[in-house]
Amino acid sequence: MVCTISSVLLAFAAALSLSSATVTSQFSLSGNYTPTVIPCPANQTYVRPASSGLSPSEKAWLSLRRPNVANALEAYLDNVGIPGFNVSAYISALKTNQSSVPIIGLTMSGGGNRAELCAYGVYQALDARYPPAWSSKTGGLLQAMTYTTSLSGGTIANTALGVNGYPDLQTLIANNNFNFSISPAALEQIAGKAELGYPITVSDIYGISSTFYGARSVFDQSIDTLGFTWSGVQVQPSFANGSTPMPILMTDELAWTRQGLDIEYFGTPMSGGLPINASVCINGYDSAAFCAGAGFAAANLWLAASTTDGVLGQFAKRSKIPYPANEDKLEQGRLGTESLPSVNEIGGIEELLKENLTTILYGYTTNPFYGMNTSAIDPVAASQKELLLVDGSETGQENPLWPIIQPERAVDFIVVSDACGSELSSGWMNGTNLYNSYTSAKAAGLPFPTVPPVVTMLNLNHTSRPVFYGCNEPEVPLILFLADFPYTAYTNISSFESTITNDQLEQLTSNALSLVTQVNNTLRHDWSTCIACGAVHKSLKRLGMTEPASCSQCWKEYCWQGNLDQSQPGFLEPSLVLNSTLSWAEWNATVFF
């Protein structure tokens, strides 16, 4: 399992992905959250330059995944029935030329519990096992995906899916994975890590509290959830045989570099790319809970927001977009008593850990790139002994696109689920995070479709209905942007919703189904066809096959054509698409709660 590291603005994004060939168990040697000191294996490559491309193990896994993708595509495309498209001829061509099998990804945005729940809703709306998705002809695309990426709130969903082999959502519900309560017994496991001399931080606290139930095993509830390691995902049976996608978690650091790390030995003190002491390697520091917590706990921003009354610590917003005069009251009315984790809560953690704030605000690990040759790595990254990890959204990009726009992964089609809720005080999206990803990617020379400025996105309704980007740009991935929007439910709930009932979960995920399917193709009669066209768009060109006219029509109707509208937009505070007379206040009082 490897930690690929990519520069993002002035930070880096660590995509915790899989590639070690030595892992034999999904679990730490201790069977719980406590790391174990082990002898370091001989002839082991711990760090490698990203310039060498994908790791050998990821390449080997892709060779297993591609045939499964082709088979899944066949079932999916047969169900969709793109007019004028010969599915049999296409699949036959893929099976004789597997390098042309489309590589498809799903991104799960930040946005706390709201983003987690919306990510699950989009996931279910693309799942062939969910009858309403299959009958709406969007189900099945999930089974053809190669990567799922996440940061912040979306990371909890991606972690649960990864360690459990991508179960269907109903299985997770029945397994009580949406119990947001905190187990005191689980938190006690932190002591074992502390006794080894490792600093304990908010990443440990929030990682354990969010995954103890959230990522519990759907196969055996007696298993200690905190024993799952992220490197262990690769021996999860359905992943190991290429039947399911690769989950990637994204976190940020306070310096930047671009290297590859075998995450099985995460936490091992290293210098020059090798363990400092051949007798001291660490097993289990890559706890799935810790990896999730490192990408989820934006405690440094929460603290800054709390102590400055929201002046500092802001997630991505667009200050030039006009807010109504009653913005603060509007937002407080929506959030009710929910708010950012308070200074008192973080202070309580400070007292619990007996450490000062500057020590506990970041996820801590030793720096595997310390002491490396600075001709191959940024000097700052080579000079610091520790990595300080923070929420993956702190670069102003709450969509975890960075890991799958790396050229080495050659992704063709990306479904972006955006439920960040931080861009407007009404809790809806204005496109800032996607636009930030576009400008950052262009600055870094990475392939990314052209995205219009935020004002145009609002004026052209790109955040209130799905839109494609990149259909006329052959050298970049095609993106389907799905901004959370109220179709059947006002999903702009607090990012820190502390409880959720199964009925409420059903409302939120049903709204995602309406978004993804455009209400079973009633708002756009050919919508499922267009999503399927997105799945095959790039691979048809590689195969030299002609794209059906129905797909070309999709791009004319639903893909941004480069037109701009920079006039002053109105404030986005929508009603329900399917019930415009039901206000948020009425729905919140009589339906949701």
Side-chain angles (χ1 to χ4, degrees):
M1 185 168 184
V2 72
C3 173
T4 61
I5 299 183
S6 320
S7 65
V8 180
L9 300 179
L10 297 178
F12 74 42
L16 307 184
S17 59
L18 318 165
S19 73
S20 173
T22 62
V23 178
T24 58
S25 172
Q26 281 190 260
F27 306 100
S28 64
L29 289 175
S30 67
N32 55 41
Y33 194 72
T34 304
T36 303
V37 177
I38 61 172
C40 298
N43 303 316
Q44 173 72 31
T45 300
Y46 297 91
V47 179
R48 62 178 183 82
S51 59
S52 64
L54 295 180
S55 69
S57 294
E58 185 168 344
K59 290 178 181 177
W61 175 80
L62 284 169
S63 70
L64 298 174
R65 181 65 185 146
R66 286 191 183 99
N68 286 304
V69 168
N71 291 334
L73 275 174
E74 184 171 20
Y76 166 63
L77 294 171
D78 276 337
N79 185 49
V80 173
I82 300 173
F85 185 58
N86 188 326
V87 175
S88 296
Y90 172 69
I91 296 300
S92 177
L94 290 183
K95 290 182 176 180
T96 57
N97 186 358
Q98 290 201 357
S99 64
S100 291
V101 171
I103 299 179
I104 304 169
L106 169 66
T107 69
M108 305 176 185
S109 78
N113 293 342
R114 179 242 185 116
E116 174 193 355
L117 299 175
C118 288
Y120 276 125
V122 171
Y123 172 86
Q124 180 172 250
L126 300 173
D127 189 350
R129 297 165 293 187
Y130 186 52
W134 185 255
S135 64
S136 295
K137 300 185 178 182
T138 57
L141 184 61
L142 171 68
Q143 280 67 26
M145 288 181 168
T146 298
Y147 298 106
T148 62
T149 68
S150 62
L151 57 73
S152 199
T155 286
I156 308 307
N158 207 20
T159 300
L161 297 172
V163 300
N164 280 302
Y166 290 82
D168 66 276
L169 179 61
Q170 299 307 312
T171 295
L172 289 172
I173 293 172
N175 197 51
N176 198 29
N177 284 70
F178 295 93
N179 180 348
F180 290 162
S181 62
I182 299 175
S183 166
L187 292 175
E188 289 175 1
Q189 291 196 29
I190 292 175
K193 186 175 180 179
E195 287 171 0
L196 290 178
Y198 287 104
I200 303 301
T201 74
V202 292
S203 292
D204 298 281
I205 300 288
Y206 286 109
I208 286 175
S209 62
S210 61
T211 63
F212 182 73
Y213 290 111
R216 72 191 303 177
S217 173
V218 299
F219 304 106
D220 183 355
Q221 288 194 5
S222 68
I223 290 173
D224 187 340
T225 304
L226 302 182
F228 279 120
T229 62
W230 198 243
S231 56
V233 171
Q234 65 194 288
V235 296
Q236 204 285 329
S238 59
F239 177 86
N241 65 22
S243 295
T244 56
M246 174 182 289
I248 299 177
L249 311 183
M250 178 176 159
T251 185
D252 295 333
E253 214 274 346
L254 303 183
W256 70 270
T257 184
R258 190 171 188 269
Q259 302 291 317
L261 163 69
D262 189 336
I263 198 175
E264 182 183 0
Y265 301 101
F266 204 42
T268 296
M270 295 190 189
S271 180
L274 294 171
I276 293 174
N277 183 338
S279 299
V280 180
C281 273
I282 306 300
N283 169 277
Y285 200 93
D286 68 320
S287 161
F290 176 75
C291 290
F296 175 64
N300 55 329
L301 284 193
W302 299 334
L303 181 67
S306 295
T307 57
T308 64
D309 198 25
V311 175
L312 300 177
Q314 294 284 352
F315 290 95
K317 291 191 176 184
R318 188 77 171 183
S319 59
K320 294 182 180 179
I321 300 299
Y323 292 105
N326 64 338
E327 173 197 354
D328 293 338
K329 290 183 180 179
L330 187 154
E331 186 163 27
Q332 189 57 42
R334 176 175 64 87
L335 299 179
T337 58
E338 295 291 333
S339 62
L340 292 173
S342 67
V343 175
N344 291 336
E345 179 180 336
I346 297 173
I349 295 173
E350 179 184 14
E351 174 63 24
L352 172 68
L353 300 180
K354 308 298 182 184
E355 296 285 352
N356 61 55
L357 280 175
T358 57
T359 302
I360 69 171
L361 286 179
Y362 310 102
Y364 169 89
T365 182
T366 55
N367 181 9
F369 315 115
Y370 173 69
M372 291 186 65
N373 188 327
T374 55
S375 65
I377 191 172
D378 182 84
V380 175
S383 65
Q384 59 187 53
K385 291 186 177 181
E386 298 88 20
L387 297 182
L388 302 177
L389 306 176
V390 295
D391 187 292
S393 61
E394 294 195 20
T395 59
Q397 302 178 59
E398 293 204 45
N399 295 305
L401 286 153
W402 213 254
I404 53 173
I405 61 171
Q406 299 303 311
E408 295 85 353
R409 290 203 165 101
V411 175
D412 297 305
F413 181 42
I414 306 172
V415 179
V416 176
S417 170
D418 190 342
C420 66
S422 65
E423 295 169 346
L424 292 171
S425 59
S426 59
W428 303 112
M429 273 49 72
N430 68 9
T432 292
N433 284 286
L434 186 67
Y435 186 75
N436 287 350
S437 293
Y438 158 65
T439 57
S440 297
K442 299 302 285 186
L446 293 174
F448 203 94
T450 305
V451 172
V454 171
V455 170
T456 287
M457 293 183 76
L458 285 171
N459 284 327
L460 298 184
N461 299 313
H462 288 189
T463 64
S464 57
R465 57 193 182 203
V467 61
F468 291 95
Y469 297 109
C471 51
N472 299 315
E473 300 175 76
E475 303 304 321
V476 302
L478 180 68
I479 282 180
L480 171 59
F481 181 53
L482 299 171
D484 186 31
F485 199 74
Y487 283 77
T488 59
Y490 288 99
T491 51
N492 56 334
I493 61 173
S494 166
S495 296
F496 299 95
E497 195 70 50
S498 57
T499 59
I500 194 80
T501 68
N502 285 350
D503 286 343
Q504 291 169 334
L505 179 61
E506 172 63 24
Q507 291 181 54
L508 298 176
T509 55
S510 293
N511 186 79
L513 180 70
S514 294
L515 166 67
V516 173
T517 67
Q518 289 294 277
V519 194
N520 194 15
N521 293 287
T522 59
L523 298 182
R524 292 174 168 177
H525 74 280
D526 54 353
W527 180 243
S528 60
T529 291
C530 294
I531 295 178
C533 287
V536 302
H537 180 62
K538 299 289 183 180
S539 65
L540 285 174
K541 289 180 169 55
R542 287 197 296 274
L543 291 168
M545 300 178 73
T546 302
E547 188 170 64
S550 54
C551 292
S552 299
Q553 186 61 35
C554 287
W555 312 141
K556 290 178 182 178
E557 292 187 31
Y558 307 130
C559 186
W560 181 57
Q561 300 297 321
N563 50 313
L564 299 175
D565 181 349
Q566 290 296 94
S567 61
Q568 194 73 26
F571 184 68
L572 187 64
E573 190 182 1
S575 301
L576 295 178
V577 172
L578 299 186
N579 188 356
S580 61
T581 62
L582 184 64
S583 70
W584 176 87
E586 293 172 309
W587 175 85
N588 189 54
T590 62
V591 179
F592 192 63
F593 290 103

